[in-house]
């Protein structure tokens, strides 16, 4: 395990200035900063206990929905099994479903890459919606 890696939960605790021994509850981080160049907004769910290494599940909302629409769909499974949830927000009626690999699809890949940098397992990335 990489000791330099800080989980989203630990980073949140540190950012709030809480004691390191404080329990960290699972939580959605709305409009999570996935990094520069990510054209979509999105939310990140980090369970209180991550698997080693944690899988990543991208949860896509339906047309006319938003990232918050998927909150609650898989939270309990993420808590039980220790995986991250990414909820991209189309920011419009629907996601771009064209055959190209740019636009919304490239933004989702960038979101996954950001979570891999947090310690997510690049070999266990799944999508549903």
């Amino acid at each position: 395990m990489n000791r330099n890696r800080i989980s989203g939960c630990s980073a949140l605790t540190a950012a709030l200035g809480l004691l390191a021994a404080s329990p960290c509850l699972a939580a959605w981080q709305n409009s999570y900063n996935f990094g520069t160049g990510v054209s979509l907004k999105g939310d990140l769910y980090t369970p209180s206990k991550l698997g080693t290494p944690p899988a990543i599940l991208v949860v896509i909302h339906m047309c006319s929905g938003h990232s918050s629409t998927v909150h609650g769909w898989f939270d309990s499974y993420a808590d039980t099994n220790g995986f991250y949830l990414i909820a991209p927000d189309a920011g419009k009626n629907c996601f771009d479903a064209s055959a190209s690999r740019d636009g919304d699809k490239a933004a989702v890949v960038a979101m996954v890459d950001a979570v891999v940098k947090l310690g997510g397992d690049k070999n266990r990335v799944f999508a549903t919606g």
Side-chain angles (χ1 to χ4, degrees):
M1 177 185 245
N2 182 350
R3 292 187 179 266
N4 294 326
R5 183 180 74 209
I6 298 176
S7 73
C9 198
S10 297
L12 180 62
T13 300
L16 295 174
L18 301 174
L19 297 173
S22 297
C24 191
L25 302 175
W28 278 100
Q29 296 175 55
N30 297 329
S31 296
Y32 182 80
N33 181 2
F34 288 97
T36 58
V38 179
S39 60
L40 295 177
K41 291 183 180 181
D43 302 341
L44 177 66
Y45 184 82
T46 304
S48 56
K49 184 175 181 188
L50 290 168
T52 359
I56 302 166
L57 179 61
V58 180
V59 188
I60 311 274
H61 65 76
M62 72 294 254
C63 285
S64 75
H66 297 282
S67 57
S68 61
T69 304
V70 306
H71 293 194
W73 286 5
F74 296 97
D75 302 15
S76 65
Y77 297 107
D79 291 337
T80 300
N81 297 292
F83 58 84
Y84 287 107
L85 297 172
I86 299 173
D89 193 324
K92 52 193 174 297
N93 190 32
C94 297
F95 287 98
D96 170 17
S98 66
S100 69
R101 293 184 176 218
D102 57 1
D104 292 351
K105 292 164 291 305
V108 170
V109 169
M111 290 174 171
V112 169
D113 287 344
V115 175
V116 166
K117 289 178 184 173
L118 290 175
D121 187 346
K122 69 179 180 179
N123 296 310
R124 295 190 308 143
V125 177
F126 308 93
T128 188

